Amino acid sequence: MAYAHPHAIPGPLYMPQYHLSVLDRSHALDDEADGLYQDGTDAKTNDDHYILSTVFFAAVLFLPGSRCASTGVRCASPCSCSPA
């Protein structure tokens, strides 16, 4: 029986000489994907800063206007409120 050898390898894929050429390409594409993922993470950080700035500036513009509206004062501009 040729297949009954107890120390035989399970198949040719387990031999050290066996090498898949597509495995090298797979590793190269994986490294490229890691770089692109890092670029996306950096872009997301910039996006978070932009959104935070936008919300902050919107609040700065909204709060003076809401103060004038709640006191019944007519405002010519958000910076200068004068009684009606």
Side-chain angles (χ1 to χ4, degrees):
M1 267 182 131
Y3 299 112
H5 191 277
H7 300 292
I9 59 172
L13 297 176
Y14 297 95
M15 295 178 66
Q17 298 87 359
Y18 188 80
H19 181 72
L20 287 173
S21 61
V22 293
L23 196 57
D24 293 333
R25 177 146 169 80
S26 168
H27 290 304
L29 290 174
D30 189 39
D31 292 339
E32 181 182 350
D34 288 341
L36 292 173
Y37 178 80
Q38 187 60 43
D39 291 345
T41 302
D42 295 341
K44 178 66 177 146
T45 301
N46 290 339
D47 178 50
D48 289 342
H49 291 185
Y50 174 77
I51 290 172
L52 179 65
S53 298
T54 303
V55 169
F56 175 75
F57 290 128
V60 166
L61 293 174
F62 174 76
L63 291 176
S66 66
R67 182 180 60 111
C68 291
S70 66
T71 59
V73 175
R74 202 167 144 176
C75 296
S77 69
C79 296
S80 61
C81 293
S82 60

